[in-house]
Amino acid sequence: MIRYIALCGRDRQENSHLLRGLAPLKKRGGLEFVCFESRRTLLEEYARGRRFDLILLDVGEDGAGLADATQLHRVHPAMSLILLAGSGEWAIPGYRTRACGYLVRPFSGALLQEEVWQALTHCETPDFYYSFSSEEGTVQIKHSEIYYFESNVRRITLVGESASYQFNGQISQIARQMEPFGFARTHKSYVVNLLHVENLFRDVLTLTNGSQVPCSRLQHQEVDRRIRGRQPPSELWTPPRV
């Protein structure tokens, strides 16, 4: 299986530095690198349907790259992201974009390789796929690409990143199965991927794809606790040192 990695440093020179630093990993095979000279160009590629397993993205001196990182994750939740910055200033805001790595310049080739390897290993989480039988046959979909499950009696609708599916099942069974993977039963008819929750206000959850799903009074406190628990307190997380 080939993994596609986008390199979007602050300029062409840094992209060349990234390529040299990652050369030992490429020799192992299975990795393809694509360089982008600006975040705008990378976003344009995503708008045309291009996807990468991992992106190394420049934060920018003003932190503007954080908004681009958030936008990329909304389009492609399964993507892994490593942020590149000139200081630790954007570390905590960067973590909230769901980045799995943060590198402060100047960084060594060894540290670069370690961060990329860890990110790629993270992509290989066990039980990463949810499988079910539908009219189209057996379907497998990554957990990270699922927004929520909705039940109508015994008919389940799975709403995913690129498509929705319907199949027979029990929402209670799905809730038990998916709870260890960051999902929660927010309502008697809904099981939601908390990774995609953007906001919880009163009895409504707003997801990163713009969908709004109900959150019952009974589940509100627990769901709110788990959403807050997605991000560690700032004092417990610091960017890697070089």
Side-chain angles (χ1 to χ4, degrees), residues 2 23 56 61 70-71 74 78 80 91 96 111 125 154-156 162 165 167 176 187 191 205 231 235-236:
I2 297 177
L56 278 66
E61 294 183 2
T70 299
Q71 183 177 344
R74 286 177 179 173
S80 292
R96 292 177 182 138
L111 181 57
T125 304
R154 292 179 63 88
R155 193 66 173 167
I156 303 295
S162 58
Y165 305 90
F167 56 96
R176 288 193 299 271
H187 180 275
V191 171
L205 286 159
Q231 298 171 355
E235 64 269 21
L236 297 181

Side-chain angles (χ1 to χ4, degrees), residues 186-201:
T186 65
H187 180 275
K188 65 180 182 179
S189 299
Y190 287 85
V191 171
V192 176
N193 187 348
L194 299 183
L195 183 68
H196 293 306
V197 173
E198 207 168 56
N199 184 45
L200 170 59
F201 181 68

Side-chain angles (χ1 to χ4, degrees), residues 145-217:
E145 295 180 358
I146 301 172
Y147 288 107
Y148 63 89
F149 299 86
E150 179 182 0
S151 172
N152 183 3
V153 190
R154 292 179 63 88
R155 193 66 173 167
I156 303 295
T157 299
L158 183 159
V159 177
E161 175 189 339
S162 58
S164 296
Y165 305 90
Q166 289 193 334
F167 56 96
N168 294 325
Q170 295 181 332
I171 197 72
S172 58
Q173 182 177 354
I174 291 172
R176 288 193 299 271
Q177 181 180 353
M178 302 303 290
E179 192 273 339
F181 301 102
F183 289 69
R185 190 170 185 178
T186 65
H187 180 275
K188 65 180 182 179
S189 299
Y190 287 85
V191 171
V192 176
N193 187 348
L194 299 183
L195 183 68
H196 293 306
V197 173
E198 207 168 56
N199 184 45
L200 170 59
F201 181 68
R202 295 181 180 173
D203 60 349
V204 176
L205 286 159
T206 301
L207 308 186
T208 53
N209 68 340
S211 298
Q212 292 188 322
V213 299
C215 183
S216 68
R217 290 185 180 182

Side-chain angles (χ1 to χ4, degrees), residues 5-236:
I5 302 175
L7 306 178
C8 189
R10 60 186 171 187
D11 52 32
R12 183 180 300 179
Q13 182 177 357
E14 181 164 74
N15 284 342
S16 297
H17 171 71
L18 294 172
L19 282 172
R20 288 193 299 271
L22 293 170
L25 291 184
K26 188 171 184 179
K27 288 180 180 178
R28 300 185 185 186
L31 300 180
E32 290 290 338
F33 297 99
V34 180
C35 294
F36 293 89
E37 294 186 14
S38 71
R39 297 189 301 270
R40 179 182 58 81
T41 305
L42 175 60
L43 288 168
E44 288 173 351
E45 280 293 290
Y46 258 74
R48 286 192 283 266
R50 189 79 180 270
R51 297 292 182 267
F52 293 93
D53 298 290
L54 172 65
I55 295 177
L56 278 66
L57 187 71
D58 174 45
V59 170
E61 294 183 2
D62 58 356
L66 299 180
D68 295 327
T70 299
Q71 183 177 344
L72 286 165
H73 259 137
R74 286 177 179 173
V75 175
H76 187 201
M79 171 197 71
S80 292
L81 177 70
I82 295 174
L83 296 174
L84 311 174
S87 71
E89 177 183 3
W90 307 107
I92 299 305
Y95 185 82
R96 292 177 182 138
T97 69
R98 294 168 44 210
C100 60
Y102 188 97
L103 287 171
V104 178
R105 302 181 183 97
F107 45 83
S108 66
L111 181 57
L112 174 65
Q113 293 169 38
E114 180 182 355
E115 287 289 323
V116 168
W117 187 251
Q118 287 181 355
L120 293 174
T121 302
H122 175 74
C123 293
E124 298 170 351
T125 304
D127 299 322
F128 200 58
Y129 289 85
Y130 179 77
S131 301
F132 58 93
S133 297
S134 70
E135 296 175 355
E136 294 82 11
T138 300
V139 178
Q140 288 188 321
I141 181 171
K142 288 182 179 180
H143 293 172
S144 57
E145 295 180 358
I146 301 172
Y147 288 107
Y148 63 89
F149 299 86
E150 179 182 0
S151 172
N152 183 3
V153 190
R154 292 179 63 88
R155 193 66 173 167
I156 303 295
T157 299
L158 183 159
V159 177
E161 175 189 339
S162 58
S164 296
Y165 305 90
Q166 289 193 334
F167 56 96
N168 294 325
Q170 295 181 332
I171 197 72
S172 58
Q173 182 177 354
I174 291 172
R176 288 193 299 271
Q177 181 180 353
M178 302 303 290
E179 192 273 339
F181 301 102
F183 289 69
R185 190 170 185 178
T186 65
H187 180 275
K188 65 180 182 179
S189 299
Y190 287 85
V191 171
V192 176
N193 187 348
L194 299 183
L195 183 68
H196 293 306
V197 173
E198 207 168 56
N199 184 45
L200 170 59
F201 181 68
R202 295 181 180 173
D203 60 349
V204 176
L205 286 159
T206 301
L207 308 186
T208 53
N209 68 340
S211 298
Q212 292 188 322
V213 299
C215 183
S216 68
R217 290 185 180 182
L218 181 64
Q219 301 295 337
H220 190 283
Q221 184 175 357
E222 175 65 11
V223 171
D224 183 62
R225 182 190 68 79
R226 290 188 59 191
I227 291 172
R228 295 177 185 275
R230 293 178 307 181
Q231 298 171 355
S234 60
E235 64 269 21
L236 297 181

